[in-house]
């Protein structure tokens, strides 16, 4: 792997390679360049707890012509597909070197959960949402109980913005969660649960289920479960499977108008109110 990175850099296949370097016992994201080839011997593959694709997107905003290589997990490829759809990167602009960080076979689209079940404790088990449960198990609870459990989780939020900051799909240059024209000035950061529901809506068709937000959350809110539900709805309603392909554009769902006069997405949502 290190030899491949050296070759890519010396031959000019990429201008920079984003990987990890151990710093005082911690794998820290690092940009390897042809000016410091010896550094590549120090490159490690993880554990990967950062979004290298987010760094790549930010680099491309400053240097749009750069050729970037990155270490990629299965979810990184899903992220690159969505970033291509949203025109944050151009097809082929980022070259990947695949590593397997989790039990799923290389190149498969199987569930790549790598998180250990959350330490639930008795109070959380009784009043909150256990992130190790399946969506189906959670949905068997009565609606009122589900509402109360999610509100218990949301109330723990300290509004640190960590979930948004780590997320590879939060690439907006202006975030509506910090916009005083959208959220009243006295309500910044937005009130609970508005903060979480706005973000959840924005993740429809965007969340690639990397789990970094949940891992970053100091309040142990099972965010991944929330966004899985949103994308489960996208799959059921629109047969849209986030990140599965760079060609599957959500905008095509707004194409032909049905007889109701509403675009298909709006018509579907109206039916399912
Ligand atoms: S799992 Fe969390 S961090 Fe990863 S893409 Fe979805 S919302 Fe973003
Ligand atoms: S929370 Fe929404 S508005 Fe803010 S960066 Fe993420 S997707 Fe964009
Ligand atoms: S990371 Fe957790 S505590 Fe921080 S803003 Fe997000 S949900 Fe709230």
């Amino acid at each position: 792997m290190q030899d491949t990175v050296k070759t890519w850099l010396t031959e000019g296949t990429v201008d920079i390679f984003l990987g990890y370097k151990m710093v005082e016992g911690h794998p820290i994201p690092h940009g390897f360049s042809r000016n410091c080839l010896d550094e590549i011997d120090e490159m490690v593959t993880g554990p990967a707890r950062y979004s290298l694709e987010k760094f790549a997107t930010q680099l491309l905003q400053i240097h749009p012509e750069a050729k970037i290589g990155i270490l990629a997990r299965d979810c990184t490829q899903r992220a690159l597909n969505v970033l291509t759809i949203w025109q944050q990167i151009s097809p082929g602009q980022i070259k990947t070197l695949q590593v397997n960080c989790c039990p799923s076979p290389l190149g498969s689209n199987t569930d790549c959960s790598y998180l250990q079940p959350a330490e639930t404790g008795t109070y959380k088990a009784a009043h909150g949402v256990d992130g190790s449960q399946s969506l189906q198990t959670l949905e068997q609870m009565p609606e009122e109980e589900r509402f109360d459990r999610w509100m218990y989780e949301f109330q723990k939020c300290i509004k640190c913005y960590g979930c948004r900051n780590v997320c590879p799909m939060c690439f907006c240059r202006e975030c509506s969660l910090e916009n005083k024209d959208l959220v009243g000035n006295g309500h910044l950061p937005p009130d609970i649960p508005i903060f979480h529901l706005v973000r959840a809506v924005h993740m429809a068709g965007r969340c690639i289920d990397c789990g970094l937000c949940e891992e970053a959350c100091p309040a142990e809110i099972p965010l991944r479960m929330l966004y899985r539900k949103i994308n489960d709805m996208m799959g059921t309603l629109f047969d849209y499977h986030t990140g599965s392909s760079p060609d599957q554009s959500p905008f095509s769902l707004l194409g032909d108008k049905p007889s109701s006069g509403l675009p298909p997405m709006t018509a579907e949502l109206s039916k399912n109110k």
Side-chain angles (χ1 to χ4, degrees):
M1 187 167 284
Q2 290 163 337
D3 288 345
T4 303
V5 174
K6 280 182 191 171
T7 305
W8 283 3
L9 284 168
T10 49
E11 291 181 352
T13 310
V14 298
D15 299 316
I16 189 167
F17 187 87
L18 303 178
Y20 292 92
K21 183 177 160 183
M22 277 294 182
V23 178
E24 298 185 359
H26 297 284
I28 301 296
H30 189 79
F32 298 91
S33 76
R34 66 181 64 95
N35 297 331
C36 305
L37 287 178
D38 289 348
E39 258 190 344
I40 297 170
D41 295 331
E42 300 173 49
M43 189 178 85
V44 293
T45 56
R49 303 280 44 88
Y50 299 87
S51 169
L52 297 178
E53 59 274 30
K54 182 159 191 159
F55 293 125
T57 311
Q58 290 169 340
L59 270 176
L60 287 170
Q61 285 173 1
I62 304 165
H63 303 287
E65 304 304 322
K67 294 176 283 179
I68 299 178
I70 60 173
L71 280 180
R73 307 174 285 157
D74 285 4
C75 56
T76 307
Q77 191 54 56
R78 296 199 292 275
L80 295 178
N81 288 344
V82 177
L83 290 168
T84 303
I85 288 167
W86 285 82
Q87 299 182 353
Q88 298 303 303
I89 60 174
S90 304
Q93 195 169 20
I94 295 182
K95 195 166 170 62
T96 56
L97 196 54
Q98 192 88 18
V99 289
N100 200 15
C101 74
C102 53
S104 64
L106 274 180
S108 79
N109 278 327
T110 53
D111 185 0
C112 67
S113 298
Y114 51 82
L115 299 174
Q116 297 299 314
E119 179 55 59
T120 56
T122 50
Y123 193 82
K124 183 175 167 92
H127 299 277
V129 176
D130 180 349
S132 66
Q133 287 179 317
S134 68
L135 267 179
Q136 291 73 19
T137 307
L138 191 64
E139 285 178 343
Q140 281 163 6
M141 291 177 189
E143 194 173 310
E144 199 174 329
E145 182 179 348
R146 262 187 290 148
F147 180 83
D148 289 346
R149 282 176 177 264
W150 277 112
M151 286 304 290
Y152 162 79
E153 296 293 346
F154 294 152
Q155 297 293 346
K156 296 188 297 181
C157 174
I158 59 168
K159 296 180 184 173
C160 65
Y161 285 94
C163 48
R164 179 205 62 180
N165 293 349
V166 79
C167 176
M169 293 302 123
C170 277
F171 48 72
C172 310
R173 295 183 191 205
E174 282 185 43
C175 176
S176 52
L177 295 177
E178 286 190 280
N179 189 325
K180 64 178 169 34
D181 294 328
L182 295 173
V183 184
N185 216 352
H187 295 272
L188 275 175
D191 294 335
I192 292 167
I194 298 298
F195 184 102
H196 307 88
L197 298 184
V198 166
R199 190 156 186 283
V201 169
H202 292 187
M203 287 302 112
R206 268 167 91 158
C207 171
I208 46 87
D209 196 23
C210 68
L212 290 178
C213 53
E214 182 165 315
E215 193 161 322
C217 178
E220 294 189 349
I221 299 171
L223 297 166
R224 194 177 193 183
M225 172 88 84
L226 184 64
Y227 308 134
R228 272 187 174 168
K229 172 62 188 171
I230 299 290
N231 273 318
D232 188 56
M233 289 166 68
M234 291 295 288
T236 307
L237 289 173
F238 307 115
D239 195 25
Y240 183 80
H241 304 284
T242 307
S244 59
S245 155
D247 305 319
Q248 190 191 20
S249 170
F251 304 116
S252 62
L253 296 168
L254 296 168
D256 301 332
K257 290 190 175 179
S259 53
S260 70
L262 294 170
M265 183 182 284
T266 317
E268 279 299 327
L269 289 173
S270 306
K271 271 195 292 181
N272 285 281
K273 260 186 181 172

